[in-house]
Amino acid sequence: MNVRPISGLNAMTLVLAALAGQPGSPVAVLSPGQAGHYATAGLAARLGLRPVLLTGPDPHTLDLQQVSDLLHQHRPLLLYLDQSHGLAPYDVHTITQVARQASPGTRVHA
């Protein structure tokens, strides 16, 4: 048996289905305007999840206060950082620290 995904979209489906919770659960994802993959929110919705979009002041910067507020408000099981395009990667360590403070039960997948 080979469980390796055959594509990035296939991998995204596996991660969302395995880690984001039951249908109806919120899942925090990057807005396409923040370099998130264009299909993530739609795929999450097709799986019955409720996507919560993370945004920022420009296409290369996340609003960490908004991230904290949304995670605290929605308490998703998963923060999915699928930066599919962008000039520089996000600081995953800092985002993870924000997530741990705002919603300790949230997993961060980058």
Side-chain angles (χ1 to χ4, degrees), residues 14-28 44 47 49 76-78 107:
L14 290 171
V15 169
L16 291 173
L19 300 178
Q22 298 297 316
S25 298
V27 58
L47 292 170
L49 302 167
L77 292 177
L78 179 64
R107 292 181 178 149

Side-chain angles (χ1 to χ4, degrees), residues 21-51:
Q22 298 297 316
S25 298
V27 58
V29 300
L30 291 174
S31 164
Q34 295 309 123
H37 192 279
Y38 73 91
T40 306
L43 179 58
R46 288 190 69 128
L47 292 170
L49 302 167
R50 290 185 301 111

Side-chain angles (χ1 to χ4, degrees), residues 31-81:
S31 164
Q34 295 309 123
H37 192 279
Y38 73 91
T40 306
L43 179 58
R46 288 190 69 128
L47 292 170
L49 302 167
R50 290 185 301 111
V52 176
L53 297 180
L54 306 177
T55 63
D58 62 65
H60 312 291
T61 309
L62 271 179
D63 180 343
L64 294 179
Q65 185 59 55
Q66 185 232 24
V67 171
S68 177
D69 293 346
L70 287 176
L71 293 178
H72 182 74
Q73 177 185 353
H74 295 281
R75 304 288 180 167
L77 292 177
L78 179 64
L79 166 54
Y80 186 65
L81 296 173

